[in-house]
Amino acid sequence: MDVISADNDLSLKASVKQLKGDIYKKISLFRDILLNETAFIESALDDPEHISLDGYSEKLSEKIDPIIEELGKMEESATDGQIIKEGILTVITGKPNAGKSSFLNMLLGKEKAIVTDIAGTTRDALEQHVRIGDISLNLVDTAGIRTAKDEVEKIGVEISKNYIDDADLILYVVDSSSKLDENDQHIINLIRNKNVIILYNKSDLEPLISENEVLSEFSDEENIDIIKISAKEHIGLDGFEDMVKRFVFKNNVFSNNEILITNLRHKEKIHEALESLKHVKRSLDDGMPEDFLTIDMMSAYSSLGNIIGEEISEDLVNEIFAKFCMGK
C-alpha cells in the first residue's frame, strides 16, 4: 500500500489524499458524465423520433474537454509524484576543502562526515537520505575533484564523476574565499547542462570571487541557481530549502490542493482513458457516427473504473440506461 511505503510528508499526504477520496471523487465524477452521455447517445439512437442529436457534438465537446484537461494534469503529475515518493538523487560536488562535508553535516544536523582542513579527506562517496522540507533527497557527498595524489584518491574522483553523470540535482560547493582554479573549471565542465544549485560557501569570510563571477562561468540557457551559505556557521539553510522546493515543483506548479499521482498503475489507466477521450474528440471533429463515440467513451469509463476499483457492471449500466430512457 502506498501509505506504508511513503517515506516523507508530501508522499504521505499524496497517498492519503488518494485513499481518502480526492482521486475517487474526481474519477467518479468523470465516469458519471461519461456514462450519462453514453446513455443519452444510445437512447437517441434507439428512439430518434423523441430524442434528437442535433447540435449534440458541441455539447459533448464542452463536457469532454475539461475531463481531458484534468486527466492530462494528473498524468503529468505522475512523474513529480514518483520523484517525491522515491527521492531525488542529489550529488554534492566541489574541489577539496570547499566545504562539501561541512554542508552535509549542516543538513544532517550532526557530524556524519569527517571535516578537516586537509584537502582530499573524502575518498569515497558518502550516501545519506535526508529531508528538505517535504522533499526526500538521496544525497551523495563525493570525493573532491582534483588531480589525484594517489591511487585511492583517483578511484574516489572517478566514483564522483559517475555519480555526477547520474544525478538529478547537483549541489556545486564553491569556496568564495578563493579564486576559481583548474579544479573548479574541470567540475564546471562536468556539470554543464544539468540541474545545478551553486552553494556559494564560506560567506562568513572575505570573498575573493563574487557570485556574479561564478555565474558568468555558465551560459544563460543553463539551469543554474546560486545561494550564499556558510556551512561552518550554519547560515543559509532556509534559503537552500526554498531553492530545492522550486526545483522539484518547477516554480510552484503544484500546490497543497493539487492531486499528485504516485501510483504507476493509476498513471497507466489515466493514460488509457485520456487516449480514449482523445479518440472521441477526433471522431467528433471528423463527424463520425455517434455509435463510434460510445465505444471510446465506455473504454475511458472502464479505464477510470480500474483506478478506483469499479469494473463495468452490466446490471448497473442497464439500470442507469433504463432510468435515463424512462426519464425521457
Side-chain angles (χ1 to χ4, degrees), residues 259-272:
I259 292 179
L260 289 176
I261 302 299
T262 61
N263 186 304
L264 289 180
R265 185 181 66 83
H266 289 174
K267 179 185 177 182
E268 292 171 0
K269 295 303 176 182
I270 286 171
H271 179 75
E272 290 176 5

Side-chain angles (χ1 to χ4, degrees), residues 193-208:
N193 300 312
K194 291 184 174 292
N195 297 306
V196 178
I197 295 177
I198 300 171
L199 305 178
Y200 182 80
N201 194 27
K202 304 187 182 181
S203 61
D204 54 305
L205 303 177
E206 187 69 25
L208 290 182

Side-chain angles (χ1 to χ4, degrees), residues 61-81:
S61 285
E62 290 176 0
K63 294 187 177 182
I64 293 293
D65 287 344
I67 299 177
I68 290 176
E69 182 178 356
E70 284 297 316
L71 291 179
K73 289 179 181 178
M74 287 186 184
E75 185 178 31
E76 289 176 4
S77 82
T79 299
D80 295 86

Side-chain angles (χ1 to χ4, degrees), residues 126-146:
L126 182 63
E127 300 183 27
Q128 290 290 314
H129 186 79
V130 300
R131 281 191 12 209
I132 301 299
D134 289 329
I135 299 161
S136 291
L137 298 183
N138 298 324
L139 199 63
V140 182
D141 179 25
T142 60
I145 294 179
R146 67 173 182 180

Side-chain angles (χ1 to χ4, degrees), residues 97-253:
N97 213 29
K100 301 185 307 303
S101 296
S102 295
F103 176 72
L104 175 62
N105 288 334
M106 181 174 78
L107 284 182
L108 296 174
K110 56 187 177 182
E111 299 299 316
K112 185 71 176 181
I114 300 172
V115 179
T116 73
D117 292 328
I118 303 171
T121 303
T122 304
R123 299 299 184 92
D124 202 352
L126 182 63
E127 300 183 27
Q128 290 290 314
H129 186 79
V130 300
R131 281 191 12 209
I132 301 299
D134 289 329
I135 299 161
S136 291
L137 298 183
N138 298 324
L139 199 63
V140 182
D141 179 25
T142 60
I145 294 179
R146 67 173 182 180
T147 302
K149 303 298 183 181
D150 56 52
E151 191 63 28
V152 174
E153 186 179 358
K154 182 178 180 181
I155 294 172
V157 170
E158 289 303 314
I159 291 173
S160 299
K161 292 178 180 178
N162 291 334
Y163 272 109
I164 288 173
D165 287 340
D166 296 334
D168 298 313
L169 175 63
I170 304 289
L171 305 180
Y172 171 34
V173 182
V174 172
D175 180 358
S176 65
S177 67
S178 66
K179 291 286 188 180
L180 297 182
D181 57 22
E182 66 276 7
N183 295 320
D184 287 294
Q185 293 298 332
H186 183 44
I187 294 168
I188 290 169
N189 289 330
L190 288 174
I191 64 177
R192 289 201 183 282
N193 300 312
K194 291 184 174 292
N195 297 306
V196 178
I197 295 177
I198 300 171
L199 305 178
Y200 182 80
N201 194 27
K202 304 187 182 181
S203 61
D204 54 305
L205 303 177
E206 187 69 25
L208 290 182
I209 185 170
S210 69
E211 293 172 79
N212 286 336
E213 285 178 289
V214 177
L215 286 173
S216 68
E217 298 291 330
F218 299 88
S219 68
D220 293 337
E221 291 75 25
E222 292 184 85
N223 192 17
I224 306 293
D225 215 335
I226 189 168
I227 184 169
K228 185 183 293 185
I229 68 165
S230 172
K232 180 181 178 181
E233 300 297 330
H234 287 208
I235 296 172
L237 184 57
D238 289 341
F240 172 73
E241 290 181 0
D242 291 339
M243 196 168 284
V244 170
K245 291 173 186 176
R246 286 199 298 274
F247 165 75
V248 173
F249 294 109
K250 299 186 176 80
N251 297 316
N252 298 318
V253 169

Side-chain angles (χ1 to χ4, degrees), residues 10-35:
L10 194 56
S11 179
L12 184 60
K13 290 175 186 174
S15 299
V16 169
K17 286 181 79 173
Q18 291 182 37
L19 293 176
K20 281 188 174 180
D22 278 22
I23 286 180
Y24 182 89
K25 291 176 183 177
K26 185 157 281 194
I27 295 299
S28 294
L29 174 62
F30 295 161
R31 295 181 85 232
D32 287 344
I33 293 171
L34 293 173
L35 192 57

